[in-house]
Amino acid sequence: MFTPISADFFEAPTLELSRSLLGQILVHELPQGIVAGRIVETEAYMGAEDRAAHSFGNRRTKRTEVMFGKPGLVYTYQMHTHTLINVVSGPVDTPRAILIRAVEPIEGIDLMAELRGKHMPIKQWTSGPGKLTKAMGITMDYYGHHFTERPLYIAEGDPVHAVAVGPRVGIGNSEEAVHYPYRFWESNNPFVSKFR
């Protein structure tokens, strides 16, 4: 039903790719079945010059190492108890990444309900970066995987025409980077994590 997108999709400049990811389908083929969601919100992190990026100042650590790799690699990291998932972007050795902040569930709804808790309204399953990885069974194990390869990949969806742009969320200690308009979301989509 879903086919991984070609690798050259990820070779666009980071801000352009961040917008182009909207409407594409994040797919995870689990042993129990397939779960998939339309990407409806992203945030770009521009590497060395971006105080909000883990790789600010070309910081190269065990955690950020994958960001220096080829575009389309998976960068997972943990925040509190949540796994967050990013698309590595930019040329090799330019450590940029795009956080997938929210998806709209389109496949495997029953399985997502089990993973997130059936008592919870569907709008809360995937409307945030830590929520969507729980709903889709995505773990830290995918660090360094590529988004063109099964079982976790991005498939082609429909382009999003009504796109809103604004500052990123939850980066209050990042000085001037707090105001950069590097967050993109589908206007009026109920699964977006935060409207403003």
Side-chain angles (χ1 to χ4, degrees), residues 101-121:
R101 277 199 62 88
V103 302
E104 177 181 348
I106 59 168
E107 178 78 18
I109 304 296
D110 291 345
L111 184 48
M112 284 193 195
E114 282 178 36
L115 291 166
R116 281 294 281 142
K118 292 185 168 142
H119 61 282
M120 191 178 293

Side-chain angles (χ1 to χ4, degrees), residues 8-9 24 29 33 65 93 131-132 134 140 154 159 178:
D8 60 4
F9 171 81
Q24 309 306 327
E29 296 179 353
E65 184 62 35
D93 288 328
K131 295 177 182 181
L132 75 90
K134 281 193 176 73
M140 287 293 295
I154 291 172
V178 169

Side-chain angles (χ1 to χ4, degrees), residues 47-135:
E49 67 272 20
D50 183 352
R51 285 185 180 277
H54 294 159
S55 54
F56 174 64
N58 272 329
R59 193 180 302 123
R60 198 162 190 156
T61 65
K62 187 176 178 187
R63 177 167 83 163
T64 64
E65 184 62 35
V66 73
M67 296 174 75
F68 291 83
K70 64 184 179 181
L73 288 171
V74 176
Y75 171 39
T76 49
Y77 66 91
Q78 289 203 288
M79 181 171 280
H80 311 302
T81 59
H82 304 294
T83 297
L84 276 60
I85 189 163
N86 299 256
V87 180
V88 172
S89 64
V92 171
D93 288 328
T94 306
R96 296 176 174 171
I98 298 161
L99 174 66
I100 300 176
R101 277 199 62 88
V103 302
E104 177 181 348
I106 59 168
E107 178 78 18
I109 304 296
D110 291 345
L111 184 48
M112 284 193 195
E114 282 178 36
L115 291 166
R116 281 294 281 142
K118 292 185 168 142
H119 61 282
M120 191 178 293
I122 190 170
K123 283 184 185 177
Q124 291 180 22
W125 291 358
T126 56
S127 59
K131 295 177 182 181
L132 75 90
T133 53
K134 281 193 176 73

Side-chain angles (χ1 to χ4, degrees), residues 130-189:
K131 295 177 182 181
L132 75 90
T133 53
K134 281 193 176 73
M136 298 187 72
I138 298 168
T139 65
M140 287 293 295
D141 294 344
Y142 284 105
Y143 180 97
H145 174 84
H146 200 276
F147 276 112
T148 57
E149 298 168 4
R150 291 180 159 91
L152 177 69
Y153 56 94
I154 291 172
E156 189 172 350
D158 295 320
V160 169
H161 300 294
V163 175
V165 181
R168 295 167 293 188
V169 178
I171 55 164
N173 58 349
S174 304
E175 298 180 22
E176 72 280 357
V178 169
H179 306 292
Y180 296 164
Y182 291 170
R183 178 172 162 251
F184 302 83
W185 67 96
E186 183 175 29
S187 300
N188 302 317
N189 186 295

